[in-house]
Every structure is written in C-alpha cells, then in structure tokens.
Amino acid sequence: MPAPADAPALVAEGAPRGGLAALCITQTTGWGILYYALPAAVLPITEDTGWEPALVIGAFSAGLLVSAGAGILVGRALDSTGPRTLMIGGSLVGVAALALVALAPVLPLFAAAWLLAGTAQAAVLYQPAFTVITRWYGAGRVRPLTILTLAAGFASTIFAPLTAALCSNIGWRAAFLVLAGLLGLITVPLHARYLNKTWNADPRRGTGALDRNSVRALRRSPEFLRLQGLMALLCLGLYAVTLNIIPLLMEKGASYAVAALGLGLVGAGQVGGRLLFGFIPVRTRLPAITGTAAGAILLLAVLPGPLPALIAAGSLAGAVRGCHTLLQATVVADRWGARNLGTLQGTFAAPLTAVTAVAPAAGPAAAVWLGSYTGMAYVMAGVAAAAALMAVLASRRG
C-alpha cells in the first residue's frame, strides 16, 4: 500500500547526541529482561514451585495481551506528553512488576505480576521507541530504525544466558530481583537524560491538525483496517511456523541438535532481513515481503528434505520476520505521516502484539488438530498467501 502523493511530510525534530545509542541500550535491556528472561527461567521456576510450565508461560502470554491493549493508551499519551515521563514510568512499573514476580508466593499473584509487566512492555519496548525515532529523524528514519532493531536483536543473546546463570547460582527469585534492579539502573537514567520531555516540532504543521473525531475515523477506515489485517495475518503465519520450527524439522527427519540449529538460523536470518529492508522500494515493500513470506513457509511445508534446504527456507522466513519488524515500524508513517503517530501506531500494533502472544501456542494447537506440523505449515502458508494477495490488491488500488 504505497503512500499517496499528498501524504503529510515527516518533520524531523533532530535526535540528541547519543540519543540513538541510548535507545539501543534501553531497548536491548528492556527486551532482554521484560521479554526473554521468563522463557529462560521456566524450568527453574517450575522445578522450584511445582507450577505447570504451560501455566507459567500462559501468565507471560497474558501479559503480552495486556501489552497489546495498553499500547493504544500509551500511543495517545505519547502524542500529548512526549516520551520522557512515559518511558521512565514504564521502566519503574517494570521494576515493580519483576519484583512482584520474584516475591509471588502463589501462581495467581505470579500471573498478576506479569499482567503488570505487560503495561511496562507497552511503555518501554518497540512501539514508543519507533515513534521516538520517527519524530527524531523524520523521513530519514529507516537507517536508525534498522540500527535500533539490530541492536535489540542481541537481547536474547545477552539476557537469556545471563538469566539462566543467575537462576543456577542464586535461584530464580533472587535472579528476578537482580534483573529488576538492572532494568531500573540502566533504563531510567538513559530515558531521563536523552528522551524529549515534550515534543518541540509539531508534525501536524502545514498539514492541518486532525481532531479526535478525524483520528477515530482514520483508525476505522477500510484502508487502515485492511493494512492492519494483512499485517496480522503475516505475523500469524510467520511466528506460528518459525517459533515451532524445531518440531517441524524433527518431523522431517532432523535430530534435535540440527533442528535447534535451524531455529538459531531463523534468528540470524532476521539480522539479514533488517539489513536488506532499506533497499526494498517503499512502494513494493508490502507485496514483496508478504509474497516472500508465503513462499518461504510453503517451502517449509512442501520440502521433505534435504535438511540444508529446509534450514535455508527457515532462514529466509527469519529474514522476512526481520523485515516485518521494520515494516511495522514504518508503514503507518509512510502512509499517514507523523501527525498523531503515537495514537495511530499504538492502535495499529495492538492486534499484531496480540497475535505474537498467541502464535507460539497456535502452531502446536493447529498441528494437533491437523495431525502434523507439516499440515500446520501448509495452513500458515495459506494465511501468509492471503496477506500477500491483500497486499497486491492494495498496491494496485493505490
């Protein structure tokens, strides 16, 4: 869906010196602690408490769903107040939530703590950071967005082993207290030092301010909903397959070690996809990315082997995932400019965040219903193909 010729111009406020580096550090820390720490700690938590692993992960997924809803309110606040107070507050809420995770004596309180953590995720992770980068750099945002997502891509590499080591040496409860402290010590000062207290430039100037009713109408417009829907379908197809690529590859004859390597190369593919994203012309990004996604997932379903070909297809799907992250960061501003960007971005991303939360479980559920992970991959290839068809029709309509 290309931007029309009369799309509002993206006004650059100018990034403070060191601002991008600071955001890279806070995003890496935030993703590492608020997102990747819990999956790395599931085993020691369940061994210590006796809670079912599915319930522990379910609490985390419920927090992600809260994050999806909270992101809409965060976007509105970001437009009206600027990022500094909001993201400092998100960091402090995250510290409190992780402390409650560590101290929770029973599963319901543990789950409640992750619901609180979901509000922190909405206020400190990608969505507000994407808006800040767009406000800072305007039309030149693709390169800093790429740098930001590449840096944050190392969050699991850093914090999953760190979380495991802390759990092994001091126990999971003390580990989460340490992580809570790290989150506060790293992110709060950087947010306070480098983020705007209020916005300086008005991105609406020269374009006519949109009143609340106009913003609401835009969010409910067929074009906005179609774009949101195709991105959600793409997200479901990609994440359901790539996050379950280990059982899919083992079903096709891979050993656990080789299948795990395949999952690791999905992550490596994301890095490549993010590096290539800026070279894809804006007007062809949606059909190119969605079409490649459908093709990569179909290859994972169709090919019985050899394993290197399957792993290559998984890496290609990972590259599309990397592009998907940057597409999510740029597509709203590409189409509608920077005015009311926080509100629009928060609304746009909400179903995508929700899909990301349910996709890891949707894959196995579909595999059980269909009788195999290969069958699940065929279905998800169809889901991605539907997104690709919508993208092609939208590009022709534009």
Side-chain angles (χ1 to χ4, degrees):
M1 188 174 298
D6 60 349
L10 294 171
V11 179
E13 293 207 13
R17 180 175 295 180
L20 178 58
L23 269 184
C24 287
I25 293 170
T26 61
Q27 287 297 297
T28 302
T29 303
W31 277 100
I33 293 176
L34 288 171
Y35 190 88
Y36 290 109
L38 189 278
V42 168
L43 182 59
I45 290 172
T46 56
E47 289 179 345
D48 177 60
T49 61
W51 301 335
E52 289 292 328
L55 295 178
V56 173
I57 290 292
F60 175 67
S61 296
L64 292 176
L65 292 174
V66 168
S67 174
I72 298 174
L73 300 177
V74 165
R76 294 174 184 169
L78 195 61
D79 281 338
S80 60
T81 66
R84 183 188 298 172
T85 301
L86 177 70
M87 295 185 75
I88 289 174
S91 293
L92 293 175
V93 170
V95 170
L98 293 170
L100 291 174
V101 167
L103 300 174
V106 294
L107 183 60
L109 290 178
F110 179 87
W114 278 108
L115 297 181
L116 183 62
T119 65
Q121 292 168 346
V124 301
L125 296 184
Y126 272 158
Q127 297 313 318
F130 289 161
T131 299
V132 170
I133 291 292
T134 300
R135 294 292 298 252
W136 281 354
Y137 292 92
R141 70 201 181 281
V142 171
R143 182 174 180 273
L145 283 169
T146 301
I147 293 171
L148 181 75
T149 55
L150 286 174
F154 288 99
S156 61
T157 306
I158 297 168
F159 284 94
L162 175 61
T163 301
L166 288 171
C167 290
S168 297
N169 287 282
I170 61 176
W172 73 270
R173 294 185 184 276
F176 273 90
L177 289 175
V178 170
L179 292 172
L182 285 175
L183 181 68
L185 289 172
I186 294 172
T187 64
V188 171
L190 291 175
H191 287 158
R193 169 65 179 82
Y194 291 100
L195 294 180
N196 309 63
K197 183 177 181 180
T198 58
W199 298 121
N200 298 318
D202 184 355
R204 299 171 297 182
R205 67 187 181 197
T207 62
L210 287 179
D211 61 29
R212 186 171 299 179
N213 290 333
S214 297
V215 173
R216 185 181 299 112
L218 193 157
R219 294 200 311 254
R220 296 175 179 176
S221 67
E223 185 176 8
F224 188 91
L225 294 174
R226 280 194 298 267
L227 183 59
Q228 196 176 45
L230 78 86
M231 287 288 287
L233 289 174
L234 176 61
C235 186
L236 176 61
L238 281 173
Y239 280 77
V241 172
T242 57
L243 293 177
N244 292 285
I245 198 169
I246 288 180
L248 174 62
L249 293 180
M250 291 180 69
E251 188 174 272
K252 292 174 179 286
S255 66
Y256 176 75
V258 171
L261 173 64
L263 178 60
L265 291 177
V266 167
Q270 289 186 90
V271 174
R274 289 169 183 173
L275 289 172
L276 291 172
F277 178 82
F279 296 98
I280 306 173
V282 174
R283 301 183 72 88
T284 61
R285 278 176 185 164
L286 272 173
I289 291 171
T290 52
T292 304
I297 297 171
L298 184 61
L299 285 174
L300 285 168
V302 170
L303 292 176
L307 290 176
L310 288 166
I311 290 174
S315 299
L316 180 60
V320 179
R321 266 182 54 179
C323 288
H324 179 270
T325 301
L326 286 170
L327 189 62
Q328 180 181 334
T330 57
V331 70
V332 173
D334 283 343
R335 179 59 185 83
W336 291 285
R339 56 182 180 175
N340 301 283
L341 179 60
T343 302
L344 294 177
Q345 188 74 37
T347 302
F348 183 79
L352 278 65
T353 304
V355 168
T356 303
V358 303
V368 169
W369 184 55
L370 296 166
S372 69
Y373 279 90
T374 298
M376 179 272 292
Y378 273 112
V379 169
M380 294 304 163
V383 169
L389 179 60
M390 291 172 68
V392 171
L393 293 176
S395 66
R396 291 180 177 177
R397 187 180 297 112

